[in-house]
């Protein structure tokens, strides 16, 4: 890896971040009159912990890492945006990703006027790391790899990810939004071996909390400090911090839901191929299935008429004719299967 200083935008490296009242004093006291808050209406009159330490402690316990290696944001979308803003100089630098993949890497690059290059996956949705590495130039600062990948549902091969981690001198971001549904282990325990690694996770998927907006980035304390420097001071509100802690303290509930979703995924893996309009079902390591059907647009429209909304991926690279179907409750999956079977009568 290059020196962090040579990768980061100079204005970010030299930035003196905003210092909030809660940054300047933390600890116990009887009278808090330092932050221009309203003294009534407790507890929501108070600004939340800008560094979310209690949450980071719990996430660290769950993921086997320390709080200083964790950034928490308003969804992992915030971390994606901040990474681009920390490392990529406007109208000069570029980021690299795979195609097809999660759309926000490209959108965030475009919003920040940063170049975006994508390398097509192979027909089996695997990554050719050498083709990816060949796209790197002196201005490439970040590579986003989504694994398990959205919308293709496969986990990228570990040796291919190592090849990218070891073959690139910039930052490699592995988006593990769907990791809990995969049989492959997370890269979080390998942070110490790879100073250029950032891992993204979220409460929006397996933890069932997309509505509270909480995403995480795991990386070296040096990279985490950079993200903390440029984030909004109170980027994760009090309600979200409280609810997230409550959810993370009920890990058994998450595991139970996970078992249910994985059992339903197995069921769909056996039943969907028997549906007449289904031409191909791709293996899934996520909480959704990518399904190639006879006519994706017509099937999508038909399902909408039945009140069933799936994601039409017909216009996405390598996904022509495909629908992306999230695993629902057993009842929802039964309704879907019945509708698909009725259509093909
Ligand atoms: N990464 C991937 C791969 C996703 O599919 C999604 C959401 N669909 C996200 C990140 C966004 O996560 P969050 O809700 O934490 O912003």
């Amino acid at each position: 890896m290059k020196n962090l200083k040579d990768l980061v935008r100079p204005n970010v490296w030299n930035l003196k971040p905003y210092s909030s009242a809660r940054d300047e004093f933390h600890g116990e006291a009887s009278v808090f009159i330092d932050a221009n808050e309203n003294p009534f209406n407790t507890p929501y009159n108070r600004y939340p912990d800008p560094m979310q330490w209690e949450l980071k402690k719990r996430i660290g316990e769950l993921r086997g890492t320390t709080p200083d290696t964790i950034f928490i944001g308003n969804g992992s979308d915030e971390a994606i945006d901040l990474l681009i803003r920390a490392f990529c100089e406007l109208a000069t630098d570029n980021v690299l990703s795979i195609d097809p993949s999660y759309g926000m890497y490209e959108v965030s690059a475009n919003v920040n006027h940063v170049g975006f290059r994508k390398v097509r996956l192979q027909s089996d949705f695997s990554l050719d790391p050498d083709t990816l590495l060949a796209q790197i130039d002196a201005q490439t600062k970040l590579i986003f790899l989504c694994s398990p990948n959205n919308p293709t549902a496969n986990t990228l091969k570990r040796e291919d990810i190592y090849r990218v981690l070891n073959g690139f001198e910039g930052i490699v971001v592995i988006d593990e939004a769907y990791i809990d549904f995969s049989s492959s282990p997370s890269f979080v325990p390998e942070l110490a071996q790879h100073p250029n690694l950032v891992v993204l996770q979220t409460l929006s998927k397996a933890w069932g909390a997309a509505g509270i907006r909480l995403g995480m980035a795991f990386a070296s304390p040096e990279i985490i400090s950079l993200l903390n420097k440029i984030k909004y001071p109170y980027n994760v509100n009090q309600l979200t911090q409280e609810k997230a802690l409550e959810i993370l303290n009920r890990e058994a509930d998450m595991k139970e839901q996970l078992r249910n979703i994985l059992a339903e995924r197995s069921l769909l893996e056996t039943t969907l191929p028997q549906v007449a309009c289904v031409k191909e079902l791709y293996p899934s390591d996520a909480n959704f299935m990518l399904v190639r059907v006879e006519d994706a647009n017509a099937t999508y429209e038909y399902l909408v008429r039945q009140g069933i909304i799936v994601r039409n991926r017909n216009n996405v690279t390598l996904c022509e004719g495909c629908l992306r179907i999230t695993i629902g409750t057993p009842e929802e999956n039964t309704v879907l299967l019945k509708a698909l079977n009725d259509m093909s009568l």
Side-chain angles (χ1 to χ4, degrees), residues 74-78 80 102 105 146 148 150 175 177-178 201-205 210 213-215:
N74 185 344
S76 28
D77 287 343
E78 182 182 357
I80 293 167
Y102 180 47
Y105 316 134
C146 185
N150 176 9
D175 186 342
Y178 300 98
Q201 293 187 2
T202 177
L203 295 199
S204 299
K205 310 296 173 184
R213 309 305 301 130
L214 192 132

Side-chain angles (χ1 to χ4, degrees), residues 203 207-209 212 242-251:
L203 295 199
W207 291 95
I212 71 169
E242 282 171 11
K243 194 69 190 174
L245 198 59
E246 182 196 315
I247 290 168
L248 291 164
N249 283 331
R250 287 191 278 109
E251 192 188 10

Side-chain angles (χ1 to χ4, degrees), residues 126-147:
S126 66
L127 164 69
D128 175 2
D130 294 314
T131 310
L132 184 85
L133 292 171
Q135 289 297 314
I136 293 166
D137 66 18
Q139 289 345 114
T140 308
K141 296 294 174 65
L142 297 169
I143 297 179
F144 285 96
L145 296 178
C146 185
S147 181

Side-chain angles (χ1 to χ4, degrees), residues 236-302:
V236 181
N237 71 70
Q238 181 66 24
L239 296 170
T240 292
Q241 291 195 40
E242 282 171 11
K243 194 69 190 174
L245 198 59
E246 182 196 315
I247 290 168
L248 291 164
N249 283 331
R250 287 191 278 109
E251 192 188 10
D253 289 358
M254 181 277 268
K255 291 252 165 85
E256 175 64 28
Q257 291 166 13
L258 191 59
R259 270 194 294 279
N260 191 318
I261 292 166
L262 293 181
E264 284 299 303
R265 188 177 77 189
S266 301
L267 197 72
L268 286 174
E269 269 161 7
T270 48
T271 46
L272 276 173
Q274 295 160 21
V275 174
C277 70
V278 172
K279 285 165 65 182
E280 196 166 3
L281 180 68
Y282 293 95
S284 173
D285 271 329
N287 66 335
F288 58 87
M289 322 278 312
L290 189 70
V291 188
R292 180 161 277 126
V293 293
E294 205 61 49
D295 181 338
N297 291 340
T299 309
Y300 175 80
E301 293 300 339
Y302 163 80

Side-chain angles (χ1 to χ4, degrees), residues 47-62:
Y47 283 104
D49 175 4
M51 297 297 284
Q52 312 100 14
W53 287 119
E54 213 182 334
L55 255 180
K56 286 179 182 170
K57 191 167 156 281
R58 178 67 187 136
I59 293 167
E61 282 165 13
L62 287 165

